[in-house]
Amino acid sequence: MAADNDPESEVFEITDFTTSSEWERFVSRVEEVLNEWKLTENYVEKTSPEKGAYINGSWGEQSLDIHFADFKFYITHHFLKEDCKTENGKSEEDTLPLAMQDLLCMHNDFPPRAHCLVRWYGLREFVVISPGANCEAIISESKCNLLLSSVSMSLSNSGCQVPMFVQIQQKWRRIYAGECQGPGVRTDFEIVHLRKVPSQYNHLSGLLDIFKSKIGCNLLPLPPVDIAIRYTYILQDWQQSSWPQQPPDFDTLLGGEVGGVEFGNLPFGACEEPISELHLATTWPHLTEGIVVDNDVYSDLDPLQAPHWSVRVRTADNLQCLLGDFITEFFKLCCRKESAEEILGRGNAEVEGQENSDISSALSKLTEPAAQVPLSKLSVSSMVHSARRHIRRHRHIDESPLHIDMLNSILLYLFPDAAVEKSSDKEKTAQANSFRTSEQDKSPDDNLFLQLKSAPCDSLTYRLALCLCMVNYSYGGLAAVAHLWQEFVLELRYRWENNYLIYGLTGGPPDLRCCLLHQKFQMLNCCIERKRARDEARKAQEGNRERERKVSGGRTSSSTTRETPQGKSWDSWSDSEDEFFECLSDQGEMESSNSEAGKDSSKLKADGRLHPYNNMTLLHSAELLYVPVTQVTPSLCRSSAFSSGVLARMCDGGFQEPAPMTEDQLEEQSEVLAKLGTSAEGTHLRARMQSACLLSDMESFKAANPGCVLEDFVRWYSPRDYVEEEVADGKGSTVIRGELSARMKIPGNMWVEAWDTARVTPARRQKRLFDDTKEAEKVLHYLAMLKPGDLARHLLPCLLHAAIMKLKQEESVENIPSVEKSIQQAASQANKLLHSVNYDYKKLEDFINQLVTMEMVIAEARSLKAKFAVNEEEDKGQAADELEKFVISLLEEPEVVVLGAGQARIGRIIHRLFINAQRLQTVSSVPQAALSAPVDDDLEPAAESRKIPDFPPPAGREILLRTCVPRPAPYSKALPQRLFCVLVKDEFRLAGAFSADTSFF
């Protein structure tokens, strides 16, 4: 009980009535934001904004989230970026805030692109509080008043002189209420928004009455009201103008397609009128009350008499452009996963699978040393033609995805050398090489393919991309693409089997700077070249032997033919069987010859000699050292494992260029070598793999130089590894002696091991290091297995390359600086996108949209030039240049001023366009004879029929009223008042800014 009576043990509940409410927290948060943005630091502008500053200047914006209880708001600061602000620590009391000064500024009325509050009030800086995303609009009057009181408290507490607005009602209505406070002054911003224009306020006189009544000034006489008026007329009818797109050519295969051209040229241009509207704004910038009359009976506001004209154009929404549609549809192919078998049907799939299995089994059996199956049944050519017959049988011509006539036309475009029937090999070779000679005459722009990793212009890969793009868009889509690709691969196989070079490919090894598909085509062409050279050499050798048999006979002839001429190359010693396998009898012959070499190597006959090497002789005999005929060495052997002396011998006749390899083969090769690791065993195995051509060269060297030793080979192959020095012999004479370098004497040296295992075998009897037959079949198999989606991904760089070149070509005709700059930027961007291993499809889609935008701009320029008759000017001098400059400005600027207004040449052209549109609209009520009369450029409005006005009723009227009067009492400070009126068909808006002196009120 004592504890209960102790007063210190009692607990009191204290209610803190000073705790801030939600409204107070909101006001405090707004003040914090204003201080954070440093809007409470008042400053004074040295000068008012220059004319055009709101258009040409840069606008900034910063935004934050604030909450009123659980309701989210955005608070956004809009400002014109300027550098002419000075801190005003000791501002005078009578200095007006900047916002009030802007209300009377006349330099930037009616800006074409700006925030609506900038256009209505002429402000250069303001803050807006708007409901957050997915939040309901502020509609109730009580909530609106609560927000306005919050704004007023925040401005008053912080001393901020930047006007602050609150967006109320539905967002689409764009209704803002706001306030601006200064020392002893306040401006209230109010907006009235109606759907229809009241009849009594449908003219200037009625709006002046509203303005004067709102001001409520009792001064007499009332200060004059400054007026600025802007009427906007819209031209939508272009029936008198020519269509900007070329009409279809019905004499070609693509006659049914709008904008269609021959194969090899991408279509270009808009399929509809790109310019939907032309807006003519006629402005009277400086008027005063009483100078102009505008009421419900009469108006002095004639657009032809307006001192200021400006024009803007509005483009069509969702404009369909040919180039953009073609590229977009082809880009969609990249995401398809179906194989050609699934697209063309299961029957064709079985045939195609049988074809591939037949080829693979044929190759495996043909490369076996002991083949038990007759070669005639394992012929690759017979199996391919058999598969082709099955495909033709299962696919009826009428059921083909691609019509046979179109297919033949495309193949003839891709392989124009096939048009010469029964031409000789020389003729076809000349046609195939014609592409190579033309490569030297190309402009620097054609090197664009190096940046994009595509293919040279007019190459086979480039033309294939264009054809597939056209077929995909106009002639059957995915199925037609799969059909054309299948026929294309069959044509390549036919050329491989019949030794016809592929048209449209440069000579030499695959160019790793091009796309992978182009490298594959070049690899196949290299194989054809090797095969042709081998077959031609064999035919020439057989012809020589036949002539020798006819001229001479007996042992003399036979002994002559058995001797090896020193100047013959590897190809001249090949025969048809060597293409596939090594002869077993040859191997036995070589083994026996090796055993004989151990007994007396000097008795062996030299084989495969090219020419003597620097008059050197063998170390153990007086015979000259000959450079042997070697095989084509693969690039693997030319790695850093060999000394620079090996590379130096590349210039010698003994070595030929490295074997061709594509980038995927190089990557695979690098991966295999990298997987071997850095262990001793892995290093030794890697060296063995890289010594394949070293072993081949050693065997060729032994065959060309009987009785040679390793030192002889090193002297030729890597002279740096043979060290010579002068020593004294037993007689006191100085002689030169040589020995292998230190690295050659290391135990287990790879060169020593290879020399010991090398047989005496000339290059013509060796297994080929580069098997062109095997490589060609690998390429053909790779191409046959490509899915249409993968094919599209391989050809996408070529198509984008063609699109950029097309844009460059079209832009050079129209001469649009902004598009020219955009094309250069697009080429740099594509360089980064297309060189990556895995394409970023989202970025590629954005890039394609950029190309479509450039095409739209060029189409718009072409349309405007046709409407303004830029290319039809008679003098082609200053007037034409002025028109062209005006058209380009319409595309690059939001609004273009017409110098001279309606009295200038451009103004007369615009006037004529409106007159023609008005005539067409009233065609039913006007006699045909009057309509057929031509319209003169200098035609006065009165010369036409009074029933047809030159201009339609204005689509929009904007009237700006300004004055400076004392409020609320006659003895108050004179402050700016402003009313902006918007009158359009379905909208009536009054945006007023009314200032009052709060010093004594």
Side-chain angles (χ1 to χ4, degrees):
M1 293 296 292
D4 294 338
N5 294 331
D6 187 1
E8 295 182 0
S9 63
E10 295 181 2
V11 177
F12 295 93
E13 293 184 1
I14 301 175
T15 302
D16 186 6
F17 292 97
T18 63
T19 302
S20 59
S21 63
E22 295 291 347
W23 175 73
E24 291 173 322
R25 293 194 192 99
F26 179 73
V27 172
S28 176
R29 178 56 181 153
V30 173
E31 294 176 14
E32 291 177 3
V33 172
L34 294 179
N35 283 281
E36 181 181 344
W37 288 342
K38 299 181 180 181
L39 300 182
T40 58
E41 300 175 2
N42 301 323
Y43 49 84
V44 177
E45 288 289 330
K46 292 182 179 180
T47 58
S48 60
E50 297 179 358
K51 189 173 183 179
Y54 288 5
I55 304 174
N56 303 322
S58 176
W59 287 87
E61 180 180 317
Q62 50 186 344
S63 180
L64 288 175
D65 297 344
I66 58 176
H67 291 80
F68 192 122
D70 58 349
F71 197 93
K72 181 180 179 181
F73 288 94
Y74 293 134
I75 179 169
T76 307
H77 177 214
H78 301 268
F79 58 95
L80 180 66
K81 296 180 180 179
E82 295 176 304
D83 298 328
C84 56
K85 296 178 181 179
T86 58
E87 298 297 331
N88 184 24
K90 299 180 181 180
S91 60
E92 299 179 0
E93 293 183 357
D94 57 350
T95 302
L96 294 179
L98 291 178
M100 294 186 182
Q101 300 177 27
D102 292 340
L103 294 177
L104 298 178
C105 181
M106 299 182 181
H107 293 164
N108 294 282
D109 294 339
F110 313 112
R113 283 183 184 175
H115 194 280
C116 59
L117 294 177
V118 177
R119 188 176 184 88
W120 297 337
Y121 299 116
L123 302 175
R124 72 186 88 174
E125 185 175 20
F126 54 93
V127 177
V128 178
I129 298 178
S130 58
N134 303 323
C135 293
E136 61 182 7
I138 309 300
I139 299 177
S140 67
E141 185 177 357
S142 61
K143 290 183 179 179
C144 293
N145 292 333
L146 181 62
L147 285 175
L148 288 175
S149 64
S150 303
V151 167
S152 181
M153 288 291 294
S154 301
L155 294 176
S156 177
N157 295 339
S158 63
C160 176
Q161 296 185 6
V162 177
M164 185 178 296
F165 295 85
V166 176
Q167 186 173 15
I168 57 179
Q169 302 298 326
Q170 295 84 356
K171 290 186 177 181
W172 63 268
R173 299 185 65 181
R174 297 189 300 171
I175 298 180
Y176 298 86
E179 184 176 323
C180 176
Q181 295 184 7
V185 293
R186 185 184 72 244
T187 300
D188 295 319
F189 298 92
E190 305 171 1
I191 290 180
V192 175
H193 182 241
L194 302 176
R195 283 191 175 274
K196 292 186 178 180
V197 181
S199 58
Q200 65 270 29
Y201 304 127
N202 198 22
H203 40 72
L204 176 61
S205 60
L207 296 174
L208 281 171
D209 294 339
I210 295 179
F211 186 52
K212 293 177 182 179
S213 64
K214 181 65 179 177
I215 293 174
C217 183
N218 298 323
L219 288 179
L220 291 175
L222 189 69
V225 178
D226 294 325
I227 303 173
I229 301 176
R230 183 185 181 101
Y231 281 9
T232 301
Y233 300 89
I234 298 180
L235 179 62
Q236 297 175 317
D237 196 342
W238 306 107
Q239 296 184 18
Q240 296 257 340
S241 302
S242 60
W243 192 35
Q245 180 59 54
Q246 292 294 329
D249 184 4
F250 295 98
D251 296 331
T252 64
L253 287 171
L254 306 178
E257 294 294 324
V258 175
V261 292
E262 69 277 5
F263 289 112
N265 284 327
L266 287 173
F268 190 89
C271 295
E272 54 185 319
E273 175 56 58
I275 305 298
S276 61
E277 295 176 350
L278 183 143
H279 294 196
L280 170 63
T282 58
T283 307
W284 293 262
H286 304 294
L287 298 175
T288 56
E289 185 181 1
I291 292 180
V292 62
V293 177
D294 180 44
N295 52 38
D296 55 351
V297 178
Y298 175 78
S299 177
D300 288 333
L301 301 176
D302 183 4
L304 286 176
Q305 304 302 322
H308 186 279
W309 275 22
S310 57
V311 180
R312 67 165 61 185
V313 293
R314 182 178 177 182
T315 58
D317 298 331
N318 300 321
L319 182 64
Q320 181 184 4
C321 293
L322 292 173
L323 179 63
D325 288 351
F326 271 62
I327 299 176
T328 302
E329 290 300 321
F330 189 83
F331 178 70
K332 293 178 181 178
L333 281 183
C334 299
C335 302
R336 303 297 293 265
K337 303 298 182 182
E338 301 93 334
S339 64
E341 303 170 353
E342 297 171 347
I343 297 169
L344 298 178
R346 186 56 54 188
N348 293 334
E350 295 175 357
V351 174
E352 190 71 20
Q354 182 65 29
E355 172 190 354
N356 294 327
S357 63
D358 290 345
I359 294 174
S360 59
S361 62
L363 288 175
S364 62
K365 293 180 180 179
L366 287 172
T367 52
E368 291 177 359
Q372 303 298 330
V373 184
L375 289 178
S376 60
K377 294 183 179 181
L378 291 176
S379 171
V380 176
S381 175
S382 63
M383 292 177 184
V384 172
H385 289 300
S386 175
R388 182 182 296 186
R389 287 195 298 271
H390 283 292
I391 293 175
R392 299 293 188 188
R393 189 181 304 119
H394 283 278
R395 185 198 300 138
H396 195 269
I397 294 179
D398 296 336
E399 299 175 355
S400 298
L402 195 60
H403 194 271
I404 187 64
D405 294 336
M406 179 59 64
L407 176 63
N408 291 335
S409 300
I410 295 174
L411 292 177
L412 189 60
Y413 166 71
L414 294 174
F415 304 99
D417 55 337
V420 183
E421 297 183 0
K422 299 180 181 180
S423 62
S424 63
D425 293 345
K426 293 183 179 180
E427 291 175 347
K428 290 209 171 187
T429 303
Q431 293 172 357
N433 292 336
S434 63
F435 172 79
R436 308 175 188 178
T437 57
S438 64
E439 287 288 313
Q440 302 174 354
D441 302 332
K442 293 192 173 182
S443 63
D445 286 342
D446 292 321
N447 291 328
L448 180 64
F449 77 93
L450 300 179
Q451 302 179 31
L452 306 183
K453 197 174 176 60
S454 63
C457 294
D458 202 38
S459 64
L460 176 66
T461 316
Y462 186 90
R463 287 182 279 119
L464 176 64
L466 299 181
C467 290
L468 288 176
C469 179
M470 192 168 296
V471 165
N472 175 65
Y473 187 84
S474 303
Y475 298 100
L478 184 62
V481 169
H483 182 194
L484 175 59
W485 176 244
Q486 187 182 69
E487 297 293 338
F488 181 84
V489 175
L490 290 176
E491 176 66 23
L492 292 183
R493 179 170 289 281
Y494 173 80
R495 287 174 174 266
W496 156 247
E497 294 171 1
N498 294 274
N499 291 352
Y500 292 139
L501 291 176
I502 302 174
Y503 182 88
L505 297 176
T506 56
D511 190 349
L512 302 181
R513 301 171 300 176
C514 299
C515 63
L516 180 60
L517 195 63
H518 189 74
Q519 297 177 36
K520 294 292 183 181
F521 294 157
Q522 287 181 311
M523 170 66 82
L524 183 60
N525 217 31
C526 289
C527 296
I528 295 175
E529 289 179 346
R530 302 285 175 88
K531 185 180 176 184
R532 282 170 61 101
R534 198 166 53 251
D535 292 348
E536 291 174 359
R538 188 187 67 249
K539 291 179 181 179
Q541 183 182 6
E542 291 177 354
N544 293 335
R545 289 179 179 177
E546 187 66 25
R547 286 193 297 269
E548 289 175 359
R549 291 192 187 98
K550 293 180 180 179
V551 173
S552 61
R555 297 180 180 177
T556 305
S557 176
S558 60
S559 61
T560 304
T561 57
R562 282 196 296 266
E563 292 181 358
T564 303
Q566 297 177 0
K568 289 197 173 184
S569 65
W570 147 248
D571 291 333
S572 65
W573 289 104
S574 301
D575 53 27
S576 58
E577 272 72 18
D578 285 340
E579 294 181 20
F580 296 96
F581 57 93
E582 300 177 17
C583 182
L584 294 178
S585 60
D586 289 345
Q587 295 179 1
E589 179 183 344
M590 288 301 103
E591 292 175 358
S592 61
S593 58
N594 283 338
S595 60
E596 293 176 1
K599 299 177 182 178
D600 189 2
S601 59
S602 61
K603 296 181 179 180
L604 288 176
K605 291 185 178 180
D607 196 354
R609 289 179 171 178
L610 197 60
H611 58 77
Y613 179 66
N614 295 340
N615 295 324
M616 287 187 180
T617 59
L618 300 179
L619 295 176
H620 295 173
S621 67
E623 293 289 333
L624 290 174
L625 189 152
Y626 282 88
V627 174
V629 176
T630 59
Q631 297 193 50
V632 177
T633 53
S635 59
L636 176 66
C637 305
R638 301 305 178 200
S639 64
S640 58
F642 296 93
S643 64
S644 60
V646 180
L647 300 179
R649 303 267 62 81
M650 296 279 291
C651 302
D652 200 300
F655 290 110
Q656 303 182 36
E657 62 180 6
M661 296 187 75
T662 58
E663 64 181 19
D664 59 335
Q665 291 176 319
L666 291 173
E667 291 176 3
E668 181 181 356
Q669 192 177 85
S670 301
E671 291 177 1
V672 171
L673 295 178
K675 288 179 180 179
L676 295 177
T678 58
S679 62
E681 182 180 358
T683 304
H684 183 74
L685 183 57
R686 187 185 300 108
R688 290 290 299 271
M689 293 176 61
Q690 293 175 329
S691 64
C693 78
L694 176 65
L695 181 63
S696 172
D697 293 341
M698 285 182 173
E699 292 181 346
S700 301
F701 188 84
K702 284 186 175 182
N705 299 278
C708 63
V709 293
L710 177 59
E711 287 78 359
D712 293 321
F713 178 77
V714 171
R715 291 166 63 203
W716 164 67
Y717 206 81
S718 181
R720 193 177 60 178
D721 287 309
Y722 187 78
V723 182
E724 295 181 341
E725 58 181 356
E726 295 181 355
V727 296
D729 58 1
K731 300 179 181 180
S733 302
T734 301
V735 296
I736 298 177
R737 290 184 180 179
E739 61 179 356
L740 296 176
S741 63
R743 77 181 188 106
M744 288 293 179
K745 297 179 180 180
I746 298 175
N749 183 274
M750 177 187 63
W751 289 56
V752 177
E753 292 183 5
W755 182 261
D756 294 338
T757 57
R759 302 175 301 173
V760 181
T761 310
R764 65 185 180 88
R765 312 299 297 180
Q766 297 173 7
K767 180 180 179 181
R768 282 183 286 162
L769 297 176
F770 174 72
D771 192 340
D772 51 74
T773 304
K774 179 181 178 182
E775 293 299 328
E777 291 299 337
K778 286 168 63 177
V779 171
L780 292 172
H781 178 76
Y782 175 86
L783 299 179
M785 291 295 100
L786 267 185
K787 297 180 180 180
D790 297 333
L791 175 64
R793 282 190 288 274
H794 283 300
L795 292 176
L796 185 61
C798 298
L799 188 61
L800 295 180
H801 176 200
I804 293 177
M805 294 297 295
K806 186 68 175 180
L807 287 170
K808 280 189 174 183
Q809 175 186 350
E810 299 294 335
E811 187 278 329
S812 63
V813 177
E814 306 301 335
N815 191 19
I816 309 173
S818 61
V819 176
E820 182 181 6
K821 182 178 179 181
S822 299
I823 292 175
Q824 295 175 358
Q825 295 174 351
S828 301
Q829 184 180 358
N831 184 15
K832 300 176 182 178
L833 292 176
L834 299 177
H835 274 78
S836 59
V837 179
N838 298 318
Y839 291 158
D840 188 334
Y841 289 101
K842 183 61 176 69
K843 292 183 179 180
L844 280 174
E845 185 177 3
D846 296 339
F847 176 76
I848 292 175
N849 292 334
Q850 294 178 20
L851 300 183
V852 175
T853 302
M854 287 184 267
E855 181 186 14
M856 291 172 57
V857 174
I858 295 176
E860 292 162 7
R862 194 163 292 169
S863 175
L864 288 173
K865 287 183 177 181
K867 291 172 177 53
F868 285 91
V870 174
N871 299 324
E872 299 177 6
E873 290 294 321
E874 298 178 358
D875 51 0
K876 293 290 183 180
Q878 184 178 359
D881 295 339
E882 182 182 356
L883 275 177
E884 185 171 358
K885 183 179 180 180
F886 176 77
V887 169
I888 300 303
S889 299
L890 281 177
L891 299 174
E892 298 179 348
E893 300 177 11
E895 193 171 270
V896 182
V897 176
V898 179
L899 299 178
Q903 308 305 319
R905 181 172 184 79
I906 296 177
R908 292 197 299 270
I909 293 176
I910 296 173
H911 183 201
R912 182 178 59 195
L913 292 174
F914 275 96
I915 291 177
N916 292 334
Q918 287 293 101
R919 281 185 166 189
L920 291 174
Q921 289 182 359
T922 57
V923 63
S924 58
S925 59
V926 179
Q928 186 67 27
L931 290 175
S932 59
V935 179
D936 190 12
D937 290 350
D938 301 325
L939 186 64
E940 295 293 335
E944 286 293 305
S945 173
R946 296 291 183 181
K947 298 180 181 179
I948 308 178
D950 292 352
F951 292 90
R957 290 174 291 168
E958 296 170 292
I959 300 175
L960 178 57
L961 308 176
R962 279 174 294 219
T963 190
C964 192
V965 298
R967 287 184 72 226
Y971 52 83
S972 299
K973 183 187 299 186
L975 298 175
Q977 318 293 330
R978 177 183 176 116
L979 180 65
F980 191 92
C981 313
V982 180
L983 295 83
V984 294
K985 182 179 180 182
D986 298 324
E987 182 181 2
F988 175 72
R989 183 184 299 274
L990 300 178
F994 304 100
S995 305
D997 187 353
T998 61
S999 298
F1000 303 102
F1001 300 94

